[in-house]
Amino acid sequence: MTFRATILTLYPEMFPGHLGHSLAGKAMERGQWSLETVQIRDFAEDKHRSVDDTPAGGGAGMVLKPDVLACAIDSVADDTRPRLLMSPRGRPLTQERVRELGLGDGVVVVCGRFEGVDQRVIEARGLEEVSIGDYILSGGEPAALTLLDAVVRILPGVMGNAASGTHESFETGLLEHPHYTRPQEFEGRAIPPVLTSGNHAAIEKWRQAQALALTKERRPDLLVPKAQPVTK
Ligand code: SAH
């Protein structure tokens, strides 16, 4: 089954961007996933082909018009793929949601611009708002590329070494242990001796302890039992 991504955007030329290279690019060439873009502006009907208008109630910036965006969404064949809207107000993306999305047929992703999107089209088309972090980007395109990067790399057969992936940060609930490779000594710093001992049980124990210590220090929030997810 091919994972299909359909991106609704005012900047289709930003895609596939970095996803056309490296592992994701090769996987796309092999047909393991596909990406198509829909230019939202193609659905604007007035003579200036305007896609945005001033905010009701006043204030700075412009808002993406609901009628134009709805037509663009409706042009995507009705299927079972989740419809996402990249949005700083959305639920923060997690590795768990990435894994769920990777099990499905694909995604339809709307990229916002300007001040955002008219609330009524979010409701009327059942868009799931997804945030990639607590900061503001100038548009949804880099957020969509980030989401797709995370999903595509876990699709079956995309990563060269299937084992790398399962030990990764967040997959285990912890941050990952530190990594080392040759040379044996670098600027006076040696590789921790346990890693070159050949004792696999000791290595595994050391890695676990490192992962736990690192998580306690940097991300104690990951060790706290999760609050109930917000349900819409
Ligand atoms: N006025 C909005 C921000 C608009 S930023 C607010 O304060 O909430 C313009 C567009 O960039 C958004 O519509 C969204 O599609 C995208 N965007 C910005 N930051 C994002 C983030 N952290 N995660 C996902 N998308 C984001």
Side-chain angles (χ1 to χ4, degrees):
M1 187 180 68
T2 301
F3 182 93
R4 288 192 309 129
T6 302
I7 313 290
L8 283 73
T9 171
L10 290 168
Y11 297 96
E13 61 280 10
M14 290 187 185
F15 296 89
H18 75 279
L19 297 178
H21 301 272
S22 191
L23 290 180
K26 295 208 179 81
M28 189 189 260
E29 277 171 24
R30 288 196 300 264
Q32 286 172 311
W33 74 289
S34 69
L35 187 149
E36 59 168 0
T37 54
V38 173
Q39 168 56 276
I40 296 169
R41 197 173 295 281
D42 289 348
F43 297 86
E45 288 185 331
D46 65 335
K47 76 170 192 287
H48 300 294
R49 301 182 75 204
S50 47
V51 292
D52 56 333
D53 207 335
T54 54
M62 299 295 271
V63 177
L64 260 171
K65 286 160 62 62
D67 46 350
V68 175
L69 188 52
C71 285
I73 294 170
D74 295 344
S75 78
V76 178
D78 205 15
D79 57 41
T80 56
R81 290 179 293 166
R83 291 169 172 169
L84 315 179
L85 168 65
M86 303 319 296
S87 159
R89 301 184 319 176
R91 194 191 292 190
L93 185 62
T94 59
Q95 190 63 20
E96 191 183 354
R97 185 73 182 117
V98 164
R99 238 182 288 126
E100 274 170 19
L101 291 172
L103 292 174
D105 300 340
V107 282
V108 177
V109 185
V110 177
C111 300
R113 277 274 154 182
F114 321 116
E115 284 307 311
V117 172
D118 187 299
Q119 181 63 25
R120 293 167 296 175
V121 69
I122 302 177
E123 293 167 13
R125 293 298 179 273
L127 302 181
E128 171 190 339
E129 294 184 64
V130 179
S131 167
I132 63 158
D134 291 344
Y135 40 81
I136 305 295
L137 303 169
S138 49
E141 290 78 8
L145 285 165
T146 298
L147 177 139
L148 282 177
D149 184 307
V151 173
V152 166
R153 67 185 286 285
I154 60 161
L155 296 177
V158 170
M159 279 205 296
N161 174 3
S164 75
T166 52
H167 279 80
E168 223 95 51
S169 297
F170 310 114
E171 291 286 4
T172 58
L174 299 176
L175 300 180
E176 201 181 37
H177 56 78
H179 298 286
Y180 298 87
T181 186
R182 281 179 284 272
Q184 174 58 36
E185 197 173 305
F186 165 69
E187 296 185 352
R189 297 160 191 263
I191 293 177
V194 61
L195 296 180
T196 46
S197 68
N199 180 341
H200 294 294
I203 292 170
E204 195 45 42
K205 207 171 147 202
W206 180 87
R207 286 180 167 166
Q208 288 274 352
Q210 290 283 319
L212 189 60
L214 209 62
T215 309
K216 270 190 185 145
E217 181 193 317
R218 296 186 183 174
R219 293 292 305 277
D221 57 296
L222 294 177
L223 298 169
V224 177
K226 292 246 180 345
Q228 285 303 306
V230 187
T231 46
K232 274 205 275 185

